[in-house]
Amino acid sequence: MTTRAKVAIIGSGNIGTDLMIKVLRTAKHLEMAAMVGIDPDSDGLARARRMGVATTADGVDGLIAMDDFDDISIVFDATSASAHVANAAKLARHGKRLIDLTPAAIGPYVVPVVNLDDHLDAPNLNMVTCGGQATIPIVAAVAGVTPVAYAEIVASIASRSAGPGTRANIDEFTETTSQAIESVGGAARGKAIIILNPAEPPLVMRDTVFCLVDAADGETQGRSAAVERVVEAVAGYVPGYRLKQQVQIHAIPADQPIDTLLAPDGGRRPTHQVSVFLEVEGAAHYLPAYAGNLDIMTSAALRVAERLAERELARATQEVTA
């Protein structure tokens, strides 16, 4: 009985290549079966060949034509939102589980520490965005203690770490992240902003989370503790994920205009703002350490695939012993 699930990666750019190296070096339940690209001269395909991984430069059609395609159970898509729509349509006919690292959002949004176990049977799981993976756990942690009327996240990433795919999907980034702040994070209303920081030398990813909440009870320690717990949980699969400073909670002045930020039926006016400042440093498996925005995406996707494979292995073991 096999103890590892075979996986393929579509997209031989920075994200796909970093993910491949993570699978090869750190995965417990995954076996790297194929790297798929469209540029035969890409560094990702060249590295895959050097590392003994089967490759194709004919895109998804080339993957489907591979001799071992039937043995592959999980396919990561690290291309673009528009490309994923076409890729998913072709692969759906073959019953493959898809983990989508683009903002296409065909399947449910998944943030491992928040809602992974709710979607283990979904055929297509969407990893939201790098900003979403970094900040939605914080919003969800605060929302678990008190209702969040409004949540705003600002993701600042090094301009050097934003490749053509990221730049082509900026609009999808803000829309997808904003939606996931609400549907996964639990905020009544969400907003996302991304900043490409041109600083030299490049700075690591920085994320700021603002939540407007009703904390009229005056209790703040529980909210800070919830944030600290979820930061520790995310750091379990993204070691460079950390709080930049202590959680800040302060009262909102009565004359501060916030009504335009709230949902029309937002109910009681929020009393406090919770501010959380994060830093994400990459593991530097393939990308520089400042590219924490890409590292958190590949790390989160790897965690999802490991959980799927672990579950299937447990089922197979039960069938054998039954």
Side-chain angles (χ1 to χ4, degrees):
M1 182 180 68
T2 181
T3 59
R4 289 176 178 257
K6 290 189 176 183
V7 303
I9 297 173
I10 309 171
S12 59
N14 287 338
I15 294 178
T17 305
D18 184 75
L19 179 56
M20 175 186 70
I21 293 174
K22 280 180 166 58
V23 171
L24 291 170
R25 291 183 181 176
T26 69
K28 296 180 181 179
H29 305 292
L30 307 175
E31 178 182 340
M32 192 66 212
M35 171 63 91
V36 181
I38 56 175
D39 177 4
D41 298 321
S42 68
D43 183 63
L45 290 181
R47 283 178 181 262
R49 288 190 291 268
R50 290 199 299 270
M51 300 176 88
V53 177
T55 66
T56 176
D58 295 324
V60 172
D61 292 333
L63 172 63
I64 294 172
M66 284 184 163
D67 292 339
D68 295 333
F69 175 69
D70 289 342
D71 297 330
I72 294 170
S73 59
I74 299 172
V75 178
F76 299 94
D77 192 334
T79 56
S80 68
S82 58
H84 179 67
V85 174
N87 294 338
K90 291 180 179 180
L91 291 170
R93 297 191 291 269
H94 299 276
K96 305 302 182 184
R97 302 295 299 279
L98 300 181
I99 298 177
D100 175 19
L101 287 84
T102 82
I106 293 175
Y109 298 129
V110 173
V111 178
V113 297
V114 180
N115 69 340
L116 173 55
D117 285 348
D118 296 335
H119 301 294
L120 292 177
D121 293 320
N124 187 321
L125 296 92
N126 180 261
M127 300 309 300
V128 198
T129 60
C130 59
Q133 289 296 333
T135 61
I136 289 172
I138 304 300
V139 178
V142 176
V145 178
T146 188
V148 175
Y150 174 78
E152 178 177 305
I153 73 97
V154 181
S156 176
I157 66 175
S159 182
R160 278 199 197 180
S161 70
T166 298
R167 294 173 186 272
N169 287 288
I170 291 293
D171 290 343
E172 289 87 351
F173 174 97
T174 56
E175 293 170 5
T176 295
T177 309
S178 297
Q179 292 169 5
I181 289 170
E182 299 172 3
S183 63
V184 181
R189 192 172 187 183
K191 182 177 182 179
I193 299 169
I194 183 171
I195 298 171
L196 304 186
N197 190 335
E200 292 290 346
L203 300 178
V204 300
M205 183 186 195
R206 299 279 177 84
D207 297 284
T208 304
V209 184
F210 299 111
C211 295
L212 302 186
V213 304
D214 182 2
D217 56 8
E219 197 279 331
T220 60
Q221 187 174 1
R223 296 167 181 83
S224 297
V227 170
E228 291 167 0
R229 284 194 298 271
V230 82
V231 168
E232 183 178 0
V234 175
Y237 56 92
V238 188
Y241 183 86
R242 52 185 174 259
L243 280 173
K244 186 63 177 172
Q245 60 189 70
Q246 289 185 331
V247 178
Q248 298 181 13
I249 303 176
H250 66 266
I252 301 172
D255 60 350
Q256 181 172 325
I258 61 172
D259 292 345
T260 57
L261 303 178
L262 308 178
D265 56 348
R268 179 170 169 167
R269 186 180 191 273
T271 62
H272 287 71
Q273 176 177 302
V274 180
S275 303
V276 180
F277 304 92
L278 303 161
E279 187 173 78
V280 186
E281 183 176 1
H285 287 132
Y286 172 70
L287 304 163
Y290 63 73
N293 55 305
L294 304 181
D295 190 75
I296 197 169
M297 281 293 282
T298 55
S299 297
L302 182 66
R303 172 55 63 96
V304 170
E306 289 271 50
R307 180 71 181 90
L308 294 176
E310 182 182 31
R311 183 172 181 246
E312 290 307 312
L313 176 60
R315 284 180 172 177
T317 302
Q318 290 176 352
E319 291 175 356
V320 170
T321 58

